[in-house]
């Protein structure tokens, strides 16, 4: 905060140099709100900051009571290529729950006027 105020000229002094960007800026229309399709235990295969490609598996939802108690796994894939920048802290998924976000460079179809919410 101190360096921010120095850069704005509110506080005297020379601020430290800005760090390098980890990724290029992307449009809000390019953010993929990754949703779970079923309920179960959530296991992430990608870490925050990882680059993902369209169609790549980000996480798996395990439904332990399916298949006569053997469990059933469902893959959750990204709809866009970009940076995996947000994920749910909860390890349980439910149908329709946003479990992560991928910042893509290309706008996605079907985005409405509410770009900061789903």
């Amino acid at each position: 905060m101190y360096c921010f105020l120095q850069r704005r000229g509110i506080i005297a002094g020379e601020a430290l140099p800005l760090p390098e960007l980890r990724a290029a800026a992307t449009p809000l229309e390019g953010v993929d709100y990754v949703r779970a399709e079923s309920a179960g235990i959530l296991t992430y295969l990608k870490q925050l900051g990882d680059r993902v490609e369209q169609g790549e598996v980000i996480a798996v939802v395990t439904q332990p009571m399916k298949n006569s108690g053997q469990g059933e796994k469902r893959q959750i894939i990204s709809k866009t290529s970009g940076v995996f920048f947000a994920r749910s802290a909860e390890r349980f998924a439910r149908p329709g729950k946003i479990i992560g976000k991928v910042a893509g460079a290309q706008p996605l179809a079907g985005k409405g006027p509410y770009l900061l919410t789903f």
Side-chain angles (χ1 to χ4, degrees), residues 82-94:
V83 177
F84 184 48
F85 74 93
R87 71 180 193 185
S88 174
E90 295 179 32
R91 291 301 181 148
F92 297 102
R94 62 183 183 281

Side-chain angles (χ1 to χ4, degrees), residues 26-76:
T26 59
L28 289 176
E29 295 92 348
V31 175
D32 175 18
Y33 291 92
V34 182
R35 297 178 186 273
E37 295 177 7
S38 60
I41 300 166
L42 186 58
T43 305
Y44 288 99
L45 303 179
K46 295 293 181 180
Q47 299 297 316
L48 292 176
D50 284 354
R51 178 120 182 106
V52 297
E53 298 300 322
Q54 182 178 4
E56 192 171 358
V57 179
I58 294 175
V60 174
V61 174
T62 303
Q63 299 171 309
M65 301 308 288
K66 292 275 187 159
N67 195 13
S68 301
Q70 299 298 312
E72 180 178 290
K73 296 183 180 209
R74 295 194 176 210
Q75 297 178 336
I76 300 175

Side-chain angles (χ1 to χ4, degrees), residues 91-110:
R91 291 301 181 148
F92 297 102
R94 62 183 183 281
K97 177 183 177 179
I98 297 173
I99 60 101
K101 298 177 186 177
V102 177
Q106 302 301 319
L108 297 171

